[in-house]
Amino acid sequence: MNNAIEISTLEDKKLPGDLAMWFFILAELTVFAIFFISFAVTEQLNPEMFSQGKAQLHPVAGLINTLALITSSFFVALALNAIHQGKRKVSVSWLITAQAFAILYLIVKMWEYQSLFNVGISLETNTFFTLYFLITAFHFLHVILGMIILSYITFRTYKGAYRSNVSGFEAGASYWHMVDLLWIILFPLIYVI
Amino acid sequence: MSRKQIIISWLSLIVLTFISVLANDFIDNFQLFIIVVMLIVFIKGQQIVDTFMELKTAPTFWRLLLISYTLLIPLIISIIYLM
């Protein structure tokens, strides 16, 4: 009886999505880890420059973007929950809502870049802004890739492709949550500390 | 993951975000401020990994791998700022 329970527990422990996506996620997390550590080390070497640089950023924009990505991730999690229960139309609605919040992130980020460009700040201004633009723009590109994946999942869900196997849905959702996870670290590092 | 768990995680992520932003106004000690903000990063990361990524019910190796990322990165950042 106990053996049966143990075997059942082992079988229940399934990795969401597919293994290839998880290796891709690990690779992405590693690249960003190098960025995060580089940023912190460079800040310790140039405290005055980083303090002045951070003062020119827009913390409210960073906060709005944090809330937008967390909420977008929340709706993707709800969409996956709905598809597990066979609620296809509900899942599509949550996915579209998630993408609306992702668009909000893109708009706020572009506004922030534009406002910095308007006062003459660019990638070449100093080491702080070089790192700021490199890290945030690299993350921005990941958001766009995530949105492409979410759009594909939305289309497939609408077409009823995830009736028996939701592995593709889970893989795409995991990627989107990774984008959120990275911002959770990036936000305090650049805007709060 | 249940709908209720997802909602609780989302609310906790929102509340923790505001706490980390407001921490600067309430904590004068820089060392303590760094520890609080990075601890919040770890808790938020753990919520995303366990609830949103659904790794709470995944094989232990994968769950620990992702959880260790959310622990190690804030820990390394904390050490760099506290040195």
Side-chain angles (χ1 to χ4, degrees), chain A residues 8-26:
Chain A
S8 163
T9 310
L10 283 172
E11 282 172 353
D12 289 342
K13 285 199 165 189
K14 179 192 155 288
L15 186 66
D18 58 72
L19 195 59
M21 179 57 91
W22 284 102
F23 279 118
F24 183 57
I25 287 172
L26 287 181

Side-chain angles (χ1 to χ4, degrees), chain A residues 12-16 19 22-23 26 29-30 32-33 36-37 39-41 43-44 54 63 66-67 70-71 73-74 77-78 80-81 84 94 170 174 177-178 180-182 184-185 187-189 192-193, chain B residues 1-3 6-7 10 13-14 17-18 20-21 24 30 33-34 37-38 40-41 44-46 48-49 51-60 62 65-66 69-70 73-74 76-77 80-83:
Chain A
D12 289 342
K13 285 199 165 189
K14 179 192 155 288
L15 186 66
L19 195 59
W22 284 102
F23 279 118
L26 287 181
L29 289 174
T30 308
F32 271 95
F36 296 147
I37 293 166
F39 186 91
V41 169
E43 178 163 5
Q44 286 303 87
K54 285 182 178 184
L63 176 62
T66 307
L67 300 177
I70 287 172
T71 307
S73 228
F74 163 68
L78 283 183
L80 183 59
N81 179 264
H84 278 311
W94 292 144
E170 289 174 341
S174 297
H177 297 315
M178 179 211 69
D180 185 24
L181 180 64
L182 290 170
I184 292 297
I185 303 170
F187 170 65
L189 187 64
V192 178
I193 294 174
Chain B
M1 217 47 66
S2 76
R3 191 184 159 91
I6 294 167
I7 293 170
W10 173 64
L13 286 166
I14 298 288
T17 299
F18 279 106
S20 69
V21 171
N24 199 16
F30 180 72
F33 169 66
I34 293 291
V37 170
M38 286 298 130
I40 288 173
V41 169
K44 287 167 80 178
Q46 187 263 329
I48 292 170
V49 168
T51 311
F52 285 3
M53 286 180 162
E54 295 192 332
L55 288 182
K56 198 171 189 174
T57 53
T60 312
W62 284 97
L65 201 61
L66 269 288
Y69 185 88
T70 66
I73 299 302
I76 293 168
I77 292 170
I80 292 167
Y81 280 105
L82 296 177
M83 275 195 327

Side-chain angles (χ1 to χ4, degrees), chain B residues 42 66-76:
Chain B
F42 167 63
L66 269 288
I67 291 282
S68 63
Y69 185 88
T70 66
L71 176 68
L72 276 177
I73 299 302
L75 187 66
I76 293 168

Side-chain angles (χ1 to χ4, degrees), chain A residues 86-118:
Chain A
K87 296 174 182 173
R88 187 172 57 89
K89 285 183 181 174
V90 175
S91 184
V92 169
S93 306
W94 292 144
L95 284 170
I96 291 169
T97 312
Q99 285 171 88
F101 279 97
I103 290 169
L104 172 66
Y105 166 90
L106 295 181
I107 292 169
V108 172
K109 199 73 216 153
M110 284 192 287
W111 171 83
E112 197 183 6
Y113 284 152
Q114 191 59 51
S115 63
L116 288 171
F117 293 148
N118 286 345

